[in-house]
């Protein structure tokens, strides 16, 4: 029996209208294979809750009044996804059908002097995004938040070496007080993995290692189709340990031949032998660490995200060649570039909100997460710097 077969009749009817489009009672009865009376009762509940509305019906001529059509009222509420980082803050607004309706980027929290100022800036970023999309705060039904650090199940930051002022802070409670709606907080790399599994390159794969390779190396795990948190919420926080040569506290990558990865890659492209040797050593070490993780978890796919993931010829292609040597297995584990890039964690935060707060979002306990539809890149709002 599939997921839809396990849902209540009200949830199945809402799901059919949300993901399948407008329908009549008879259409719903046939597609769901349940009685017309049961559908009429479900439609009455959904209409009273405001989750469905009458859909316009095209006139087709002939005698009699056309059957009444119902459509899912996606505009009845808004779900917010926030990705908080030191370099940037991304805010996404989604309607109840999972369509992203607004997206903005803001400067990161690094410039603000203390933890309270950092959080106040994030709250203002969310309010600016809501205001720019003409969405009242009262319409926000849930918020999902991604941030760097270990986060417990209540939304309290256990430890963050990236935003140390928030270690021990209940960021979820602070945001719940600010916006008056449910808030769920989780680790950013874990939520990036969630996004790639739900709407990215790993949609059909339920056992995934997601590795973010940028200024640091960090990991998120999807096992059995679910993000793995672990008993202490630390599952996946292994980049600083599994890859030799990193800062053991932060997972930060240190480069010898130039200050930044971009400069090392550029020098290697220009023929600098020392830079190319350093890059070769980095790829070998990366392959060794991935092989160790692969033999621990035995995933169906490895997804590489983060700032360096788009470097095909200099990183991904050589990494694909190096990994089998370190694994020594009679089969290969596919290694794919993340599809969502820097937007993954913000989309994962939206998915997280839908997963954790279905009852608050829909008024129905067992509604599945909708298929999230990203905003086209050419319609995304610019950052504040781009408008100056």
């Amino acid at each position: 029996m599939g997921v839809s077969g396990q849902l209540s009749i009200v949830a199945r009817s809402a799901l059919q209208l949300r993901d399948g489009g407008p329908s009549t009672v008879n259409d719903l009865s046939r597609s769901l294979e349940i009685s017309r009376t049961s559908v009429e009762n479900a439609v009455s509940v959904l209409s009273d809750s405001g989750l469905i509305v009458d859909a316009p019906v095209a006139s087709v001529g002939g005698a009699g009044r056309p059957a009444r059509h119902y459509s899912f009222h996606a505009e009845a509420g808004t779900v917010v996804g926030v990705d908080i980082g030191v370099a940037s803050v991304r805010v996404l607004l989604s309607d109840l059908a999972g369509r992203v309706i607004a997206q903005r980027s803001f400067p990161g929290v690094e410039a603000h002097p203390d933890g309270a100022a950092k959080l106040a800036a994030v709250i203002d970023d969310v309010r600016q995004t809501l205001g720019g999309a003409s969405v009242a705060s009262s319409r926000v039904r849930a918020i999902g938040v991604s941030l760097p650090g270990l986060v417990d199940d209540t939304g309290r930051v256990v430890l963050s070496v990236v935003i140390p002022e928030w270690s021990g802070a209940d960021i979820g409670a602070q945001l719940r007080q600010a916006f008056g709606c449910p808030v769920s907080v989780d680790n950013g790399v874990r939520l990036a993995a969630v996004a790639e599994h739900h709407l990215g390159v790993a949609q059909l794969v339920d056992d995934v290692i997601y590795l973010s390779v940028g200024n640091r190396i960090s990991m998120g795990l999807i096992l059995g189709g679910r993000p793995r948190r672990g008993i202490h919420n630390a599952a996946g926080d292994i980049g600083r340990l599994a890859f030799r040569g990193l800062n053991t506290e932060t997972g930060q990558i240190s480069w010898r031949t130039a200050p930044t990865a971009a400069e090392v890659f550029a020098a290697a492209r220009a023929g600098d032998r020392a830079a190319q040797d350093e890059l070769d050593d980095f790829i070998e070490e990366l392959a060794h660490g991935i092989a160790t993780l692969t033999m621990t978890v035995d995933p169906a796919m490895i997804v590489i995200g983060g700032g360096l993931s788009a470097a095909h010829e200099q990183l991904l292609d050589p990494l694909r060649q190096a990994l089998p040597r370190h694994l020594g297995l009679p089969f290969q584990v596919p290694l794919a570039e993340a599809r969502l890039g820097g937007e993954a964690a913000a989309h994962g935060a939206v998915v997280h909100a839908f997963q954790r707060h279905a009852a608050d979002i829909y008024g129905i306990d067992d509604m599945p997460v909708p298929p999230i539809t990203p905003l086209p890149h050419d319609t995304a709002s610019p950052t504040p710097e781009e408008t100056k």
Side-chain angles (χ1 to χ4, degrees):
M1 181 181 291
V3 172
S4 62
Q6 302 170 27
L7 303 178
S8 67
I9 292 175
V10 172
R12 291 174 64 192
S13 300
L15 183 64
Q16 180 67 25
L17 290 168
R18 187 190 72 185
D19 298 348
S23 296
T24 65
V25 168
N26 284 337
D27 292 336
L28 289 171
S29 177
R30 283 192 298 269
S31 61
L32 299 177
E33 298 182 342
I34 53 181
S35 71
R36 178 185 171 88
T37 300
S38 295
V39 171
E40 287 176 337
N41 291 336
V43 164
S44 177
V45 171
L46 294 171
S47 296
D48 290 344
S49 70
L51 204 55
I52 65 173
V53 293
D54 285 346
V57 180
S59 177
V60 294
R65 187 168 57 184
R68 191 175 182 182
H69 283 66
Y70 298 94
S71 65
F72 186 80
H73 191 197
E75 297 79 18
T78 301
V79 175
V80 179
V82 188
D83 175 31
I84 304 170
V86 295
S88 68
V89 174
R90 289 181 170 90
V91 182
L92 303 183
L93 308 182
S94 166
D95 67 16
L96 300 190
R99 291 184 293 264
V100 176
I101 58 173
Q103 174 177 324
R104 287 194 65 179
S105 294
F106 299 88
V109 299
E110 188 173 30
H112 300 283
D114 54 44
K118 286 175 167 58
L119 184 58
V122 171
I123 291 171
D124 186 59
D125 293 343
V126 174
R127 286 176 173 157
Q128 283 192 53
T129 306
L130 291 169
S134 299
V135 175
S137 294
S138 60
R139 283 181 52 198
V140 176
R141 299 198 176 185
I143 298 174
V145 178
S146 151
L147 57 78
L150 299 183
V151 183
D152 71 18
D153 205 39
T154 69
R156 183 178 63 89
V157 180
V158 178
L159 175 69
S160 177
V161 297
V162 179
I163 310 177
E165 304 96 325
W166 284 0
S167 294
D170 193 339
I171 298 299
Q174 297 287 333
L175 292 172
R176 282 191 288 274
Q177 183 176 3
F179 292 98
C181 68
V183 177
S184 284
V185 185
D186 207 345
N187 172 266
V189 179
R190 184 178 293 128
L191 291 184
V194 166
E196 289 294 341
H197 178 253
H198 189 77
L199 66 148
V201 71
Q203 289 180 65
L204 302 179
V205 182
D206 280 348
D207 293 283
V208 181
I209 288 177
Y210 174 91
L211 206 66
S212 175
V213 185
N215 293 326
R216 58 181 53 84
I217 298 178
S218 48
M219 186 180 74
L221 287 173
I222 301 292
L223 299 178
R226 299 173 64 86
R228 176 63 181 168
R229 299 181 59 88
I231 192 66
H232 300 105
N233 307 289
D237 186 31
I238 197 173
R240 57 196 171 85
L241 303 175
F243 301 92
R244 296 167 298 193
L246 304 183
N247 183 306
T248 56
E249 292 185 0
T250 66
Q252 193 86 14
I253 302 171
S254 297
W255 299 96
R256 299 187 309 271
T257 57
T260 67
E263 292 171 279
V264 174
F265 277 62
R269 284 195 302 272
D272 185 306
R273 187 67 254 172
Q276 185 59 57
D277 288 345
E278 181 177 25
L279 187 53
D280 291 343
D281 290 344
F282 175 73
I283 290 168
E284 285 299 313
E285 184 54 44
L286 193 59
H288 177 271
I290 292 174
T292 302
L293 298 173
T294 298
M295 295 304 292
T296 304
V297 178
D298 191 18
M301 177 182 285
I302 300 160
V303 178
I304 306 295
L308 301 185
S309 62
H312 291 274
E313 294 183 359
Q314 289 187 281
L315 180 67
L316 288 190
D317 291 345
L319 186 57
R320 289 190 181 100
Q321 295 172 10
L323 186 56
R325 295 198 305 271
H326 288 269
L327 282 172
L329 296 173
F331 56 85
Q332 292 192 14
V333 181
L335 188 149
E337 177 190 355
R339 182 178 297 169
L340 298 169
E343 299 174 357
H347 285 84
V350 171
V351 175
H352 189 50
F354 275 109
Q355 287 174 333
R356 295 292 299 272
H357 302 298
D360 298 285
I361 293 169
Y362 295 115
I364 303 169
D365 289 328
D366 48 357
M367 277 287 281
V369 178
I372 306 298
T373 306
L375 196 68
H377 282 281
D378 57 358
T379 60
S381 299
T383 65
E385 288 78 10
E386 293 169 337
T387 62
K388 293 181 180 178

